[in-house]
Amino acid sequence: MLLAGGARADRLTYTRTLPAREGRTADWPGWADPALVGGYRALGVDRPWEHQAQAADAAWEGRHVALATSTGSGKSLAFWLPALTAVGRTLPAQRRGAVLYLSPTKALAADQLHSLERVLGAMPDGAGRDLRVGTCDGDTPTEERRWVQDHADVVLTNPDFLHFSLLPNHRRWARYLRALRYVVVDEGHAYRGVFGAHVSLVLRRLARLVDHYRPLAEPARGVSRPRSGTLTFVVASATSAEPAASAARLVGAAPDDVTAVVDDASPSGRRTVVLWQPPEVESFTFLRSGPGDAPTADDPWALPDPLDPGHTEGEQETVVTEDGAAEHPRRSATAEVADLLADLAAHGARTLAFTRSRRGAESVAQAARDHLRPVSTDLSRRVAAYRGGYLPEERRELEQAIRTGALLGLATTNALELGVDISGLDAVLIAGWPGTRMSLWQQAGRAGRAGADGLVAFVAREDPLDTYLVTHPEAVFDAPLEATVFDPANPYVLAPQLCAAAQEVPLRSDDLPAFGDADHVRSVLDELVTRGALRRRPSGWYWTHAQPAAGMADLRGAGGQPIRVVEAPTGRLLGTVDAASADGQVHDGAVYVHQGVTFVVDHLDLTDRVALVVRRDVDHGTWSREVMTIAIDPEHQPAAPGAAEGEPGGASDDAGAPGRVEQRSWGPVTWGLGPVEVSSQVVSFERRRIPDMQVLGTQALDLPERALVTTAVWWSVPEDELRAAGLDPEVVPGALHAAEHASIGLLPLLATCDRWDLGGVSTDLHPDTGEATVFVYDAYPGGAGFAERGYQLGATWLRATRDAIVACPCDHGCPACVQSPKCGSYNSPLDKAAAVTLLDLVLGHAPAAP
Ligand SMILES: [Zn+2]
Ligand SMILES: [Zn+2]
C-alpha cells in the first residue's frame, strides 16, 4: 500500500481494515407522495435504503425520530419524504402542513436548499412547483422574508434566526406556525455544550408557540407525547452514543417517545484506517503565530489561541521545558498531511484532508501544491483549500470539482464535515484529532465506495490526546462513541430563555414542565422576578421591558461581544478576539500577529471593546500571566440527606437537583461535582525573544478581575497519603499541576468537548476541601455538562490521563503530555514523574474497572 511503503513505515502506529458493507433496500412507503418518489427516481434513487424507509415510516406515524447513520447514507431523503408529503401540496392553502428545517449554520441551510431544489426540479410534470420553499436568515431582505411568512410551506433556517427573529415576531409567522407539522433538526450532534442547551430551549419555545396557534379543536401538544396531527421532530445526526436520549433532551420529549434508527443499510467499500505519528525532527525554528480564526458560525470549532500548537499549523513548533531547552519536537501534523496529500494526488487518488483551523486548510493546500509543482503544474492546480468564509458559489464549484475528479485533493476545515454531500473518495486524511470519535468517523465516512477500497489516516498532533490515541488504538476503534452532552437545566441558559419565552407569550404554570423540572424552572423564575427581569401576576410571568428579551441570550456561548482589533493610524479592522481571551491576548503591549505581520497593542479599551494596534517589527513575543482562584459555592455545600432546597411546597430532595455539590469517596480520595466560582485576573506579561525564548522583561498590567460561576469536578487527596506515596511537599504543586493539564487534555475523550471548553486550577491546599485538590471546570457560565461526565467516569478519565503521561517519551514533560497551550502560569511548576506517582496513588483507590 502506498502509505506503508519505504521510509515512512515507522510512522504508522496501527492499521485496521474495516470490511465492506452490502446495501439493503426497501420498498417506497405506500403513503409517500408519488410525484416526490418520481423526483427521487428521476435522480437515480430506485429504491430507498432500509434505514431511510424505517425512519420515514416512523416520522409519518408522528413519532419523533433520531436518525444516526453515516455520512452519505441519505439522511435527507428519510426526512423530506414524510415532511414534504405532509405538506399536501395539492391541498388548499389553509389545510396544508408546513415544515421547518434547521441546520447549525447559514451555509448548510443554503446547501440543503440547493439539493432540495434538485429533487423538486426532478418531480414529474413540474409537480415540484407546488411546493413553496424558502430560506430565511439574518441576511434575508424584508420583501423575501414577507413572502416566506405569507406563503412558504418549507422554511430552511438556523437556530439563531429562530431565536432572534422568528419566535419574537411570531405574530407575523402565525400562518406558518399554525400549519407547522415537522421540524427537522439536521446535524443534531452539533448541538452540544452551551449551544446545545440554548437550542434545546429554543425548540421548546417553538413547540409552545405552535400550541398557542393551533386551532382550539385540536388537542394541545403533549410535552412528551407526540400525537398524530401535532409537531413531530426528526433529528438527523452523525452516528453517536445514545442518539434517542440526546434527541429527546434536545426536543424536550421522553426518550421512549423517540424512535432511534441507527442500522445503516447503505453500502460502503472496504476501508483501511491507519494511525500515524509524525517523526521527531532534528532542527527546527520557532515561529510564533497570531491568534487563529475566531470561531464563527461557519467554522465553529476553529478555536483561537496564539499559543495552541494545534493552531500554529503549517509551522514547526518548538517544545520548551522549564529551563528553556527544547527536546525532540515532532513534525507538525499539517506538514505531514500536506506531504501525504501531494503523494496521493500524484497517484491519482481523490483525497480530502481535514484540518483543525482555516489557516491549517490553507497551508496544507499551499504546501501540497508546492510539492506537486515540480512534478506537474497541472497536477498542482488540482489541489485546493475549502473552508468557511468562502462565497457560496466558490464552495459549490469546489464541491462539484472534487465529486467529478477535476480536483484530486481538497484541504478543508470541518466546514465540510457537516452536511455537504461528498463521499466515495479514495482517501481521507485527518490532521489532528477532530475532537470526538463521532467526528472522526463522520470524516472517515467520506472515504471508500461500494466496490472500491478507501484509505483513512489519522495524523497525530503534538498534544496529549492525539499522542494517547495513536498509541491506544482501542480508544479509537473499540471505545463507544461519545454522547452529545449539554444541560438544558443550566440556570444561565434557562433564565434568558424563560425571559424570551415570557416576552413571546406570558408564561403560565402549565408551561413550566415543557422547560424542564417544574420546581427548578419555578425557582429560576422566582429569581428573575426578584431581579426585576420578569413580573409575576396571578395569570403568569410577564416580560414588561421595551427591549427584546432574546438579546439576553448568546446562543453560542461566546461570552459577550468580541473585541475588535483596529490599526490605530488607519482605522482598519484587522480582526476580532473573543471576549474571554481578550485580556490575555490583546492587553496593552501585547504582540498581535495577523497573517504573518506583527502589530503591538497600543491600548485595550474594554469599554468600547476595541484594541488599538500599531504595525511594528519586533524580535519578541508576549506571554501573559493570569492568577486564578476557585471557590466551591458556599451556598451549595453538600446538603444533609433529606434536606430540601427551594420554596415551601416546591421542595425537592432529588440527589441530582441542580446546583448542589455531590461527593463520593475512593477510600481517602474525595471526588466532588458542583457549582464553583472561578476568579481570574491577567496580572502581567513577559516579553520573550524569538526564537530562543529568553525573557527580555516583565511588565505589570492593570486589568479587572473576572468571575465565572460554573460547574467543576474535583478530586482531593489528604496530605498523609501524599507523604506515604513519597510525594514531598516541594513536588506536590508540580504533580498536581501536571495532572491537571493532562487530565484537561484527556477529558474530551469522554465528553463532546474540546480542551478549550475547559479550565483547571490545582493547589496543594484548598481552603474548601482542606486538601491537595485538582479542579477541572466548564469554561461557560453555569457549566456545560463536561465536568459532569468527568465526575461520572472518573476512573476511566484518570486512567487514560496516567497512561498518556507514561506513554510520552519526553523526559520532563512536553506539549504531548503535561504542558498546556493555554496555561496562565507559563507551564510552571510541572513535575511529570510526580504526576504519575500521584495518579497511581489516586487510581489505587479507584473501584475495580467494570
Ligand atoms: Zn511528553
Ligand atoms: Zn497551568
Side-chain angles (χ1 to χ4, degrees):
M1 188 184 54
L2 177 66
L3 294 181
R8 291 182 183 167
D10 61 329
R11 304 180 190 181
L12 287 180
T13 60
Y14 187 79
T15 302
R16 186 179 289 190
T17 302
L18 308 174
R21 184 176 60 220
E22 296 285 332
R24 301 186 311 272
T25 62
D27 292 332
W28 289 99
W31 48 259
D33 180 347
L36 184 56
V37 172
Y40 279 112
R41 282 212 165 106
L43 293 177
V45 184
D46 273 337
R47 287 160 62 79
W49 305 118
E50 269 179 23
H51 65 273
Q52 291 174 321
Q54 203 189 339
D57 276 335
W60 181 252
E61 285 162 18
R63 306 250 327 144
H64 301 312
V65 176
L67 174 58
T69 53
S70 65
T71 315
S73 62
K75 285 182 279 232
S76 56
L77 183 149
F79 54 71
W80 287 131
L81 204 59
L84 297 182
T85 300
V87 167
R89 59 185 170 80
T90 56
L91 294 176
Q94 68 276 16
R95 291 182 48 211
R96 293 165 76 128
V99 180
L100 177 67
Y101 168 91
L102 277 184
S103 80
T105 68
K106 265 187 240 177
L108 286 181
D111 289 346
Q112 186 60 237
L113 175 68
H114 184 69
S115 44
L116 182 57
E117 279 170 347
R118 283 183 63 225
V119 178
L120 301 184
M123 284 166 71
D125 308 321
R129 284 195 296 274
D130 295 342
L131 285 160
R132 295 166 305 201
V133 179
T135 50
C136 229
D137 56 43
D139 302 335
T140 310
T142 315
E143 270 307 276
E144 211 173 311
R145 193 176 292 189
R146 212 153 278 154
W147 181 89
V148 173
Q149 287 164 347
D150 294 343
H151 303 288
D153 301 312
V154 180
V155 177
L156 298 93
T157 185
N158 56 60
D160 310 78
F161 182 77
L162 205 55
H163 169 70
F164 288 112
S165 183
L166 194 154
L167 298 179
N169 299 305
H170 57 91
R171 285 171 192 89
R172 292 175 187 278
W173 292 86
R175 172 206 68 90
Y176 174 75
L177 290 170
R178 197 173 292 124
L180 193 59
R181 291 289 177 279
Y182 281 95
V183 177
V184 174
V185 183
D186 206 358
E187 309 295 340
H189 54 281
Y191 303 115
R192 62 178 188 90
V194 168
F195 185 39
H198 272 297
V199 172
S200 75
L201 293 162
V202 168
L203 292 176
R204 290 160 212 223
R205 280 162 53 201
L206 170 70
R208 193 173 76 110
L209 288 176
V210 168
D211 273 357
H212 179 76
Y213 282 106
R214 284 268 190 257
L216 287 174
E218 261 188 273
R221 175 184 170 275
V223 175
S224 59
R225 227 168 303 116
R227 299 188 202 101
S228 152
T230 64
L231 210 49
T232 301
F233 287 93
V234 180
V235 181
S237 78
T239 311
S240 68
E242 306 158 18
S246 297
R249 193 163 358 107
L250 188 63
V251 308
D256 288 351
D257 291 332
V258 179
T259 301
V261 176
V262 296
D263 188 7
D264 194 333
S266 64
S268 77
R270 195 172 62 157
R271 266 182 220 136
T272 301
V273 185
V274 304
L275 306 185
W276 182 283
Q277 189 167 35
E280 293 175 10
V281 289
E282 298 289 313
S283 62
F284 54 88
T285 49
F286 183 86
L287 294 172
R288 180 157 191 271
S289 81
D293 297 312
T296 66
D298 286 337
D299 198 5
W301 293 287
L303 292 152
D305 195 283
L307 297 177
D308 177 13
H311 299 282
T312 58
E313 290 170 88
E315 301 158 354
Q316 291 186 334
E317 297 126 20
T318 192
V319 179
V320 179
T321 55
E322 287 118 294
D323 57 0
E327 56 183 17
H328 57 247
R330 289 185 184 273
R331 198 154 181 258
S332 79
T334 40
E336 198 79 345
V337 161
D339 286 4
L340 292 172
L341 183 60
D343 284 1
L344 286 159
H347 284 80
R350 282 189 306 145
T351 306
L352 280 182
F354 285 96
T355 65
R356 292 280 287 148
S357 71
R358 293 179 175 190
R359 189 183 16 216
E362 297 284 353
S363 79
V364 165
Q366 189 56 48
R369 279 193 298 257
D370 291 347
H371 292 324
L372 288 168
R373 202 164 294 115
V375 184
S376 148
T377 332
D378 176 54
L379 205 51
S380 78
R381 288 202 197 101
R382 293 175 70 189
V383 173
Y386 181 104
R387 58 172 175 80
Y390 284 2
L391 296 174
E393 310 83 72
E394 202 175 358
R395 288 164 57 121
R396 207 134 295 135
E397 259 173 45
L398 290 166
E399 291 161 18
Q400 194 53 25
I402 190 84
R403 275 191 206 106
T404 60
L407 270 182
L408 282 171
L410 201 54
T412 175
T413 59
N414 56 10
L416 203 96
E417 180 185 323
L418 295 165
V420 184
D421 183 22
I422 293 176
S423 56
L425 300 175
D426 298 304
V428 165
L429 306 171
I430 300 169
W433 185 244
T436 59
R437 281 179 288 267
M438 216 159 72
S439 297
L440 179 87
W441 294 117
Q442 175 96 333
Q443 296 179 351
R446 309 265 184 194
R449 57 186 173 274
D453 286 3
L455 171 75
V456 178
F458 162 55
V459 179
R461 289 184 300 171
E462 199 153 55
D463 167 274
L465 187 53
D466 286 25
T467 309
Y468 177 83
L469 290 166
V470 287
T471 49
H472 292 74
E474 71 284 358
V476 176
F477 293 96
D478 306 319
L481 292 168
E482 303 83 356
T484 309
V485 176
F486 59 90
D487 177 15
N490 177 344
Y492 289 82
V493 174
L494 187 54
Q497 290 290 342
L498 289 171
C499 290
Q503 184 175 32
E504 284 148 17
V505 176
L507 278 165
R508 292 172 307 132
S509 299
D510 297 357
D511 294 328
L512 307 193
F515 290 94
D517 173 75
D519 293 332
H520 175 61
V521 175
R522 192 178 286 273
S523 71
V524 172
L525 285 170
D526 289 344
E527 176 66 28
L528 287 166
V529 171
T530 310
R531 277 166 30 198
L534 292 181
R535 196 167 288 178
R536 178 83 164 101
R537 292 184 184 146
S539 55
W541 289 266
Y542 287 74
W543 175 262
T544 53
H545 309 275
Q547 68 273 35
M552 293 169 65
D554 164 13
L555 293 196
R556 294 175 194 261
Q561 289 293 311
I563 301 280
R564 290 167 298 129
V565 180
V566 172
E567 193 179 15
T570 63
R572 181 165 68 109
L573 178 68
L574 293 175
T576 58
V577 174
D578 72 53
S581 47
D583 286 2
Q585 285 186 12
V586 289
H587 54 77
D588 296 3
V591 174
Y592 176 84
V593 185
H594 184 84
Q595 310 244 350
V597 181
T598 51
F599 297 84
V600 175
V601 177
D602 190 44
H603 180 57
L604 169 61
D605 185 332
L606 290 169
T607 315
D608 290 344
R609 316 198 67 74
V610 62
L612 296 172
V613 302
V614 285
R615 168 88 184 82
R616 195 173 299 157
D617 288 316
V618 288
D619 63 345
H620 63 271
T622 52
W623 278 261
S624 60
R625 182 178 178 88
E626 191 172 21
V627 293
M628 238 183 214
T629 57
I630 191 164
I632 300 170
D633 188 334
E635 287 177 22
H636 296 89
Q637 290 292 343
E645 281 193 336
E647 64 195 59
S652 145
D653 59 356
D654 290 356
R660 179 162 315 161
V661 171
E662 282 184 55
Q663 288 195 337
R664 107 161 49 104
S665 298
W666 288 357
V669 176
T670 307
W671 280 83
L673 172 75
V676 292
E677 180 169 309
V678 183
S679 308
S680 60
Q681 190 173 19
V682 175
V683 290
S684 64
F685 70 97
E686 279 179 358
R687 290 192 184 84
R688 292 191 204 165
R689 195 165 63 198
I690 290 172
D692 67 5
M693 304 295 284
Q694 192 194 327
V695 177
L696 302 173
T698 302
Q699 195 169 320
L701 288 168
D702 180 23
L703 285 162
E705 187 177 87
R706 312 280 181 186
L708 171 72
V709 176
T710 182
T711 305
V713 53
W714 62 90
W715 47 271
S716 64
V717 186
E719 192 179 351
D720 54 341
E721 290 288 324
L722 296 171
R723 279 324 146 264
L727 292 164
D728 294 330
E730 63 275 14
V731 304
V732 169
L736 293 163
H737 191 195
E740 172 217 318
H741 280 183
S743 69
I744 290 172
L746 271 294
L747 186 53
L749 203 57
L750 307 172
T752 47
C753 65
D754 200 287
R755 82 180 299 153
W756 303 92
D757 294 326
L758 304 164
V761 176
S762 55
T763 164
D764 57 352
L765 179 62
H766 193 273
D768 295 334
T769 63
E771 295 177 344
T773 311
V774 171
F775 291 87
V776 174
Y777 60 84
D778 294 339
Y780 297 95
F786 310 134
E788 191 179 343
R789 291 287 288 180
Y791 181 74
Q792 290 160 353
L793 300 168
T796 312
W797 178 30
L798 290 195
R799 239 172 239 127
T801 303
R802 181 215 172 264
D803 290 355
I805 301 175
V806 170
C808 190
C810 70
D811 295 328
H812 301 294
C814 70
C817 58
V818 300
Q819 292 185 354
S820 163
K822 49 179 257 186
C823 182
S825 52
Y826 308 135
N827 280 302
S828 172
L830 288 177
D831 190 327
K832 178 180 170 177
V836 175
T837 311
L838 172 66
L839 289 167
D840 280 337
L841 157 63
V842 172
L843 286 164
H845 295 290

